[in-house]
């Protein structure tokens, strides 16, 4: 089935003003939602108030610019025959961009905030009880973000189909035009990377012995 | 953690994300002006074939005489100006309009979408971003340049440790009344390196850096009449 936005994308990438305008109207809400989600999460991780609309707009514009950079190279890579709608594709690309920008500090929306680690330590001193449960949720949210950052949009769709929606392997292979072996390889690779990321993230937030009192408790069900 | 626990945790995280994203999508109201501005910017990028705005081609469309010595400094695209390159420790700066400007700012039909189009009392919100992270603290001042003569603009200036400068404020009411060329200039320098003498500082805004340690990012303002 042809994606309803395939022709629009073609017109827009040819710099047709009307096409550009319509495509931007389609994509901007997708990008802005991802930016909002990313900023909200970051605010939660850092235990502070929500971001301003302006920060969200800035981030949205950065992602939009990245999509259309080099004459729309990222958008040209979208293939409607490979199981992803344009909006889904852009959503996943936006999630990756937003996560990378916010995590790596390539752009720092809250430059005056103290470092996250010190914030976590202070929070733990005053709010000890629910930390384990919150920590476990946060751990998986962070793993998911990192996967989105590292894995291709197609890979994330396969992740969703296999692990989130628990669809039958035959159906997934058919939708993504791949063999059973390829599907199992994807599953195995995604889980392996998720486990590595869990260890990496936990290591970053695990207390050091010398300052154990003020540190965050390891999350429930720590990796072994 | 077993594979099942890992999968279950990821599954719940994905579903949480989906729910939250759905809530955001349902509650967000997209500003039509934002769509217009974004579309104009994208169109400009596609036409210019620029990989990113900060790598755009120099603005050769504007008559050099109009901007005096600025021809080498400014590459302007939809409210984005590029800071002066050259020697010195500071990277070039790009100036981008975040919010404000007149309605016609968003018109796709306008001949030059790069200028800031503003009316008397328009509130502008601009950001000057360095081409790369700066290594030391910087400070900044904003100016309105009218026919080559700079006057300090009393917009609120914020500077991040990365060297990004944001200026927000209300434009001069003289804007649509006094004929001639107008521009917004943001002068950036390492802390302590901005000229203390207001006139020397204004000259820097007018003429650009003389010693390579200052950066001036600027964009023309086209005065709009009417409400």
């Amino acid at each position: 089935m042809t994606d309803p936005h395939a022709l629009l994308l073609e017109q827009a990438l040819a710099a047709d003003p009307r096409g550009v305008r319509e495509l931007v109207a389609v994509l901007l809400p997708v990008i802005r939602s991802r930016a909002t989600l990313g900023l909200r999460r970051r605010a939660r991780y850092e235990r502070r108030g929500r971001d301003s609309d302006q920060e969200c707009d800035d981030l949205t514009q950065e992602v939009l610019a990245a999509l259309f950079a080099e004459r729309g190279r990222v958008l040209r890579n979208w293939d409607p025959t490979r199981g992803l709608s344009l909006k889904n594709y852009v959503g996943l690309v936006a999630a990756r961009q937003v996560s990378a920008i916010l995590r790596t500090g390539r752009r720092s929306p809250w430059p005056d905030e103290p470092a996250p680690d010190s914030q976590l330590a202070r929070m733990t001193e005053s709010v000890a009880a629910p930390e384990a449960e919150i920590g476990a949720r946060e751990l998986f949210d962070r793993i998911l973000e990192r996967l989105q950052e590292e894995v291709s949009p197609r890979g994330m769709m396969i992740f969703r189909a296999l692990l989130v929606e628990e669809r039958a392997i035959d159906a997934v292979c058919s939708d993504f035009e791949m063999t059973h072996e390829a599907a199992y390889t994807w599953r195995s690779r995604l889980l392996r990377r998720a486990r590595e990321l869990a260890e990496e993230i936990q290591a970053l937030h695990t207390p050091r012995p010398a300052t154990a009192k003020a540190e965050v408790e390891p999350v429930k069900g720590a990796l072994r | 953690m077993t594979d099942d626990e890992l999968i279950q945790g990821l599954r719940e995280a994905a579903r949480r994300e989906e729910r939250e994203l759905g809530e955001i999508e349902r509650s967000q109201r997209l500003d039509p002006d934002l769509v217009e501005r974004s579309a104009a910017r994208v169109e400009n990028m596609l036409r210019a074939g620029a990989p990113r705005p900060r790598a755009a081609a120099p603005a050769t469309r504007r008559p050099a005489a109009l901007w005096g010595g600025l021809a080498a400094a400014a590459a302007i695209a939809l409210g984005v100006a590029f800071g002066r390159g050259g020697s010195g420790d500071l990277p070039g700066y790009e100036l981008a309009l975040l919010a404000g400007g007149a309605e016609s700012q968003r018109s796709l039909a306008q001949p030059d979408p790069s200028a800031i189009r503003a009316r008397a009392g328009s509130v502008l919100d601009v950001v000057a971003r360095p081409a790369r992270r700066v290594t030391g603290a910087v400070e900044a001042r904003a100016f309105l340049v009218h026919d080559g003569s700079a006057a300090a603009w009393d917009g609120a200036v914020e500077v991040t440790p990365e060297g990004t400068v944001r200026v927000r404020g209300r434009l001069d009411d003289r804007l649509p009344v006094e004929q001639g060329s107008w521009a917004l200039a943001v002068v950036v320098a390492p802390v302590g390196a901005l000229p203390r003498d207001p006139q020397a500082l204004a000259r820097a805004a007018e003429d650009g850096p003389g010693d390579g340690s200052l950066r001036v990012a600027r964009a023309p303002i086209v005065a709009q009449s009417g409400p």
Side-chain angles (χ1 to χ4, degrees), chain B:
Chain B
M1 187 187 293
T2 64
D3 268 4
D4 282 348
E5 287 170 336
L6 182 61
I7 291 169
Q8 185 61 26
L10 289 170
R11 185 176 297 146
E12 286 169 7
R15 288 177 179 159
R16 268 197 304 280
E17 179 183 279
E18 207 169 83
R19 275 197 303 275
E20 192 167 2
L21 211 47
E23 286 164 13
I24 292 168
E25 280 169 7
R26 281 190 296 278
S27 66
Q28 84 172 345
R29 286 185 307 172
L30 209 61
D31 179 1
D33 289 346
L34 182 66
V35 175
E36 291 295 338
R37 285 200 307 275
S38 304
R41 182 185 184 204
V42 165
E43 192 188 337
N44 200 63
M45 281 180 74
L46 289 169
R47 284 192 174 158
R52 296 296 294 264
R54 67 186 52 169
T60 53
R61 291 169 293 164
R62 190 170 305 282
L66 185 62
W67 303 106
L70 298 172
I76 300 167
L78 187 62
V80 178
F82 292 83
R84 183 176 289 250
S87 61
D89 296 324
L90 282 179
Y93 270 72
E94 67 173 16
L95 189 64
L97 178 67
L98 294 177
E103 199 58 35
S104 56
Q105 177 81 26
R106 293 114 196 184
S107 168
L108 291 172
Q110 63 182 303
D112 180 2
S114 65
I116 297 171
R117 291 170 192 268
R119 297 188 176 92
S122 285
V123 174
L124 288 188
D125 187 352
V126 297
V127 63
R129 290 197 179 94
R132 57 176 164 76
R133 187 187 171 108
V134 299
T135 50
V138 296
E139 57 184 333
R141 299 284 184 278
F143 292 86
L144 281 180
V145 184
H146 180 223
D147 282 346
S149 174
W153 183 40
D154 58 359
V157 177
E158 297 171 66
V159 183
T160 72
E162 291 78 20
T164 299
V165 179
R166 184 174 179 180
V167 189
R168 280 172 286 191
R170 190 175 294 278
L171 281 178
D172 197 315
D173 284 346
R174 294 179 303 149
L175 197 66
V177 179
E178 296 190 9
Q179 298 296 309
S181 64
W182 288 84
L184 175 66
V186 178
V187 183
V188 187
V191 169
L194 279 176
R196 295 297 113 187
D197 174 11
Q199 289 188 342
L201 190 54
R203 275 199 302 277
E206 291 159 15
D207 304 328
D211 60 4
S213 62
L214 297 175
R215 288 291 177 262
V216 182
R218 51 194 299 163
I221 299 173
V222 176
Q224 303 286 291
S225 56

Side-chain angles (χ1 to χ4, degrees), chain A residues 128-147:
Chain A
E131 194 61 38
E133 190 185 350
I134 291 168
R137 281 175 57 144
E138 186 175 310
L139 171 68
F140 287 110
D141 286 348
R142 285 178 185 260
I143 297 170
L144 188 63
E145 273 185 345
R146 291 288 300 276
L147 281 176

Side-chain angles (χ1 to χ4, degrees), chain A residues 21 54 61 69 71 160 163, chain B residues 18 36 38 46 51 166:
Chain A
R21 195 168 164 179
Q54 190 60 63
Q61 291 300 315
R71 300 188 61 77
R160 180 165 287 278
L163 300 175
Chain B
E18 207 169 83
E36 291 295 338
S38 304
L46 289 169
R166 184 174 179 180

Side-chain angles (χ1 to χ4, degrees), chain A residues 210-223:
Chain A
T211 55
K213 181 177 175 294
E215 300 282 357
V216 182
E217 290 175 22
V219 296
K220 192 166 61 180
L223 294 171

